[in-house]
Amino acid sequence: MRTRPKATTDGFTIATDAADGLVPGTASLLVHRHDERLNAMHNALIRGELHADGDQWTMVPRNVIEPAGSGRISDAFHTLRNARRSTLRYLERRGLARPRVQWDQFQLLATSSKDA
């Protein structure tokens, strides 16, 4: 789910409107920021324990997974290259063929979004 957690001395509080379906236990938050053009991405994955105190939900961090990059273009290149390698390994392990991208369907979506 998408939420805007608030940092506290105990961890991160989760907005009550986003709490529907939450259960106490191991949890993670993928936090990020970027500019208005979705460039200069900075992100981190925070893992910890989620618990409730009445109607207040708090995620207490245990560790942070190293961010994917500093927002430089070279970081984006490395992420794409690593994603391609990971994808190929995934397909090979399962004996799957690389799926064909339906570019015509993407073009229809792009065209209809311009008209909206």
Side-chain angles (χ1 to χ4, degrees):
M1 76 181 65
R2 260 189 115 127
T3 186
R4 290 184 183 261
K6 302 257 191 269
T8 68
T9 56
D10 297 328
F12 296 92
T13 60
I14 308 300
T16 54
D17 62 335
D20 187 37
L22 291 181
V23 294
T26 302
S28 63
L29 285 172
L30 176 61
V31 295
H32 74 280
R33 72 175 190 265
H34 49 75
D35 66 17
E36 67 281 353
R37 298 183 71 197
L38 303 180
N39 289 325
M41 174 76 78
H42 298 270
N43 61 67
L45 179 67
I46 303 167
R47 295 176 63 186
E49 293 294 319
L50 182 65
H51 61 84
D53 183 12
D55 64 350
Q56 180 70 47
W57 286 88
T58 303
M59 205 280 275
V60 179
R62 185 176 47 233
N63 63 336
V64 176
I65 307 300
E66 186 174 327
S70 63
R72 294 185 309 258
I73 192 70
S74 61
D75 292 332
F77 172 75
H78 292 296
T79 298
L80 289 172
R81 185 182 64 201
N82 292 339
R84 178 175 281 190
R85 288 179 184 162
S86 294
T87 301
L88 290 175
R89 282 194 304 269
Y90 176 92
L91 294 172
E92 286 174 4
R93 279 195 303 267
R94 288 159 180 80
L96 299 172
R98 183 175 175 195
R100 184 179 169 276
V101 177
Q102 297 176 359
W103 293 111
D104 57 332
Q105 297 299 313
F106 280 109
Q107 185 63 44
L108 284 173
L109 286 171
T111 303
S112 64
S113 68
K114 287 179 185 177
D115 296 337

